[in-house]
Amino acid sequence: MKFTLLFMKRYGQACAIARALDVIGERWSLLLVRELTLGPRRYRDLATGLPGIPSHLLAARLKDLQAAGVITRRTLPAPADVTVYELTGAGRALQPALKELLDWGMRYGPEPSQDDVSQPSWPLLAAVGRPSALPAGQVCELRVGPEFFYLSSDAGTLTVRRGPAPDGDAVVTMSADTFYSLLTGQTTVTDAVRHATVDGDTGIARRALEPLAAAALTEPTPAM
């Protein structure tokens, strides 16, 4: 890693904060980590999840974060047989810092404008780790537009992964409008379920969605 950092911009300070920023302080780097928090993603998915990033800069940031040991690249086994990027242990260790930045942004950051882009995975990050009444071993798949999420619980707290939930106990298909209304407290869980399509156990669906309502986020409603 020391050899790699010679080719990155460095602060040249013997301070742990500065040395951390030597690795993840470049523009887009932490947002790349954000995009991989809920699971592996293909290059084109990362480009979609980071609207506005030039292709050459995305490739450069991926290369830098791989060299620094924050992310890794692998090929999924057949039949998928696609190349994905995912967090390493060092990358996953950034999750508490991302959570603190998320909380800080909600408390002190500027209000989003109506022109700001939003994606379902971003507000879901605020719900991760919140208390959940979803019993261990029971799973809900949440579909919002083209996005699929796997909601479950671990030690009484919500976990979220990107992708479909194999053999889920409930599958909830929800419009973006209903999803954001739930997150902002404009819609209750009961009403959200009523306006969604639920296949499977409706009780499981309600329990899975409760931590999302508790997130009480303020997000612009995207055009989907």
Side-chain angles (χ1 to χ4, degrees):
M1 187 180 294
K2 291 180 180 178
F3 179 82
T4 302
L5 290 182
L6 291 175
F7 300 95
M8 298 180 182
K9 293 181 181 178
R10 300 181 65 247
Y11 288 101
Q13 298 177 13
C15 162
I17 294 174
R19 288 187 287 116
L21 291 175
D22 285 343
V23 177
I24 47 91
E26 293 283 359
R27 191 165 186 249
W28 299 104
S29 292
L30 273 179
L31 294 185
L32 260 172
V33 175
R34 177 199 68 188
E35 289 304 298
L36 296 173
T37 295
L38 300 183
R41 304 207 77 186
R42 297 171 298 179
Y43 183 94
R44 68 182 183 183
D45 295 328
L46 290 171
T48 300
L50 295 168
I53 188 172
S55 182
H56 74 277
L57 191 54
L58 173 57
R61 291 292 178 268
L62 287 169
K63 184 177 180 181
D64 287 344
L65 292 174
Q66 285 180 82
V70 175
I71 66 174
T72 187
R73 185 176 67 175
R74 68 183 175 95
T75 301
L76 297 177
D81 197 30
V82 295
T83 299
V84 296
Y85 296 87
E86 61 186 352
L87 297 176
T88 63
R92 290 190 296 273
L94 287 167
Q95 301 313 299
L98 280 181
K99 181 62 168 61
E100 290 297 326
L101 280 173
L102 189 155
D103 292 343
W104 190 94
M106 290 173 61
R107 184 173 182 180
Y108 300 110
E111 290 294 322
S113 72
Q114 291 301 313
D115 296 330
D116 285 348
V117 177
S118 185
Q119 297 187 17
S121 60
W122 301 343
L124 277 178
L125 291 174
V128 172
R130 289 181 178 271
S132 173
L134 192 63
Q138 294 186 323
V139 173
C140 176
E141 180 179 302
L142 174 62
R143 302 175 181 178
V144 183
E147 297 268 28
F148 287 56
F149 302 97
Y150 180 114
L151 310 182
S152 58
S153 66
D154 179 22
T157 61
L158 182 71
T159 63
V160 180
R161 297 289 292 173
R162 195 185 299 276
D167 302 320
D169 299 284
V171 177
V172 180
T173 303
M174 184 178 292
S175 70
D177 286 343
T178 300
F179 176 73
Y180 284 99
S181 291
L182 175 64
L183 291 169
T184 56
Q186 299 174 56
T187 297
T188 65
V189 172
T190 298
D191 285 341
V193 170
R194 185 180 298 120
H195 288 93
T197 299
V198 179
D199 296 318
D201 191 321
T202 303
I204 294 297
R206 287 197 182 94
R207 293 188 188 99
L209 295 175
E210 283 169 358
L212 277 60
L217 299 178
T218 300
E219 290 280 353
T221 301
M224 297 185 70

